[in-house]
Amino acid sequence: MRLVYTETGLPVKVGDKIMDDESGLALTVDFFRPPHKPASSGKISLRDDQGHCREFYVGVIDAKWIEREDQV
């Protein structure tokens, strides 16, 4: 199972910079965890420049899991 950006198909990597459209700040991918059941989308943690982390569903950064073993 791999987490990729929906638009490009490129893999999401720890350390990637994501632009927050609301605040205009760059956020850094801190970690992500795969879905825990077939209906789940998984979560991603983003860190701001001050070191604060927030957790979001992966769709917030326009990403999705591919090659999922838990879905047909």
Side-chain angles (χ1 to χ4, degrees):
M1 183 169 8
R2 296 184 302 136
L3 184 61
V4 298
Y5 295 104
T6 306
E7 203 171 290
T8 64
L10 294 173
V12 177
K13 298 178 186 170
V14 171
D16 283 356
K17 297 288 186 187
I18 308 293
M19 185 59 70
D20 180 10
D21 293 335
E22 286 185 23
S23 67
L25 298 174
L27 303 172
T28 304
V29 175
D30 197 41
F31 70 89
F32 44 87
R33 58 189 160 115
H36 63 283
K37 60 184 178 181
S40 176
S41 64
K43 300 254 181 126
I44 190 159
S45 178
L46 301 175
R47 182 175 24 89
D48 64 21
D49 293 339
Q50 298 170 344
H52 300 109
C53 286
R54 295 181 294 173
E55 193 170 65
F56 302 94
Y57 292 108
V58 297
V60 168
I61 65 163
D62 199 23
K64 66 179 179 178
W65 292 95
I66 60 170
E67 302 167 358
R68 288 182 67 156
E69 297 87 17
D70 62 346
Q71 293 179 343
V72 178

